[in-house]
Amino acid sequence: MTASLILIVEDEWLVAEEHRAILEEAGFAIAGPVPSVARAKKLIESEVISAAVLDIGLGGETSAALVPLLAQRGIPFVFVSGYTASDIPQDLRHHKMLSKPVWAAALVEAVRNMLGVQPTALARHQDSGTVPTQREAR
């Protein structure tokens, strides 16, 4: 069985690497991480992306520009952002949003939910701890 390919769009290298490591550990294949809309579009157009994890603010641009392309291709996505609710553009507020710093378990659960994937027995065992672990990348 081929692992689902998850696109990560994040301009902060440490955060991008943290998200990559978390999702790879959960068994997902990763496209990127990429820090810009242009590079994300290239991957969306050239790869079979199963879902996307998007930072909103990308150093002078926003990932909102990717929403129409993702929707056109039927690719589910979640925003992971340090923005407060009032900072999020109005047209993006109805999309699934995780706040930074994001717990590893919350990120994996969000991706699994987008894909309709049930955790494996091993993942259920790993996720059953009373306190989820968060990788400290900052």
Side-chain angles (χ1 to χ4, degrees), residues 50-73:
S50 303
V53 174
L54 311 173
D55 182 16
I56 294 177
L58 300 171
E61 63 180 344
T62 72
S63 60
L66 297 171
V67 172
L69 181 58
L70 292 168
Q72 177 186 37
R73 293 176 182 257

Side-chain angles (χ1 to χ4, degrees), residues 2-116:
T2 305
S4 297
L5 186 60
I6 310 303
L7 172 63
I8 297 174
V9 183
E10 171 62 65
D11 63 333
E12 294 181 45
W13 182 82
L14 286 176
V15 175
E17 286 302 305
E18 176 185 29
H19 292 173
R20 181 196 55 74
I22 289 167
L23 294 174
E24 282 181 343
E25 189 174 307
F28 298 106
I30 303 301
V34 295
S36 69
V37 169
R39 290 184 56 195
K41 282 183 177 179
K42 286 181 184 179
L43 283 175
I44 293 167
E45 292 168 351
S46 66
E47 301 289 337
V48 179
I49 304 294
S50 303
V53 174
L54 311 173
D55 182 16
I56 294 177
L58 300 171
E61 63 180 344
T62 72
S63 60
L66 297 171
V67 172
L69 181 58
L70 292 168
Q72 177 186 37
R73 293 176 182 257
I75 300 171
F77 62 90
V78 62
F79 288 115
V80 178
S81 180
Y83 285 2
T84 63
S86 62
D87 293 330
I88 297 168
Q90 186 70 33
D91 60 329
L92 301 181
R93 291 182 185 172
H94 66 280
H95 294 289
K96 174 74 175 160
M97 184 86 54
L98 297 174
S99 295
K100 287 181 185 174
V102 64
W103 290 97
L107 180 60
V108 171
E109 180 181 4
V111 171
R112 285 179 182 153
N113 286 342
M114 285 190 290
L115 300 173

